[in-house]
Amino acid sequence: MVAGVLTSAVAAAVLAAAGTVASTAHTAHTGSGASERTGTGASESIGTGASERTGTGASDSVEVRAEGRFAPPTAFVPSSAITYDQRLVPAASWIEVTQRSDQRGTRVSLRVKGLEPGYAYGVHVHQKPCGADPAAAGPHYQNEPGPMNPENEVWLDFTAGKGGSGKASALHDWGFRRGEAAAVVLHREQGGAGDRLACFSVPFAPPPVG
């Protein structure tokens, strides 16, 4: 009995450290259009949501939401949010990514909590899911093969606020190709390059077919 209690306690501790991963992907019948593209370092108080994944039939918009808590690649409980540098992206820090696409464009938004206050993070959408190797996420997703810039890619750079939280948003008049955008990577430097600090797998979806 004691051994069983200890085993349960260890498992609970591991689960708490790894955190939760939640994602929601659905289509909704809406008619709102695109708005301005922004990217800020503003901070805010944010929490976590319920774990679910749903899907509905075709309509004029597609929405995706994914959240998770970062864990190292060696964590006993695998996570879709992986940290490679626990000083700048601590284990159990939180991330949420949302996507909304319609006939007029695609908006991707990012929120984080628990990172290094005052640090300027570079963030981009990458082509493949995260893995134990930081390189697993592949290169940046690009609308067209060519330059690395915020117009041709999805950049979500931000500076963490006083409490280690931050947010950013990017809007484009194009959408993701099916199966070619699968993660958000946090980089050591803002701009188009920099070491990979962490990675979060996100089931980005193509825009609805008009």
Side-chain angles (χ1 to χ4, degrees):
M1 177 63 71
V2 173
V5 171
L6 289 175
T7 300
S8 298
V10 171
V14 171
L15 286 168
T20 60
V21 176
S23 63
T24 303
H26 66 277
T27 54
H29 188 73
T30 59
S32 61
S35 58
E36 74 282 0
R37 177 177 176 276
T38 61
T40 71
S43 61
E44 60 179 6
S45 178
I46 48 184
T48 60
S51 298
E52 66 174 43
R53 181 178 177 87
T54 60
T56 63
S59 66
D60 61 1
S61 70
V62 173
E63 296 182 7
V64 174
R65 174 181 172 275
E67 73 172 90
R69 291 195 178 273
F70 287 101
T74 55
F76 180 73
V77 178
S79 175
S80 60
I82 302 175
T83 175
Y84 309 115
D85 185 329
Q86 293 192 56
R87 183 182 73 82
L88 294 176
V89 184
S93 55
W94 180 82
I95 184 170
E96 177 193 65
V97 175
T98 59
Q99 173 205 343
R100 187 181 187 282
S101 298
D102 58 26
Q103 298 300 322
R104 300 182 64 179
T106 294
R107 177 182 291 279
V108 179
S109 299
L110 166 79
R111 295 196 299 166
V112 296
K113 186 177 181 180
L115 303 188
E116 179 69 16
Y119 194 85
Y121 294 83
V123 185
H124 313 102
V125 172
H126 281 241
Q127 295 180 11
K128 298 179 181 180
C130 309
D133 183 346
H140 295 184
Y141 178 88
Q142 294 192 318
N143 181 45
E144 298 178 352
M148 297 174 60
N149 59 47
E151 287 69 43
N152 195 37
E153 302 179 347
V154 179
W155 290 19
L156 299 163
D157 295 359
F158 69 93
T159 299
K162 187 175 181 180
S165 60
K167 63 180 180 178
S169 181
L171 177 66
H172 293 285
D173 60 4
W174 44 263
F176 295 118
R177 295 179 294 275
R178 185 177 300 278
E180 295 187 30
V184 166
V185 173
L186 279 65
H187 292 265
R188 190 176 303 278
E189 302 170 8
Q190 293 190 340
D195 294 340
R196 301 181 184 193
L197 303 174
C199 182
F200 180 40
S201 295
V202 179
F204 290 112
V209 177

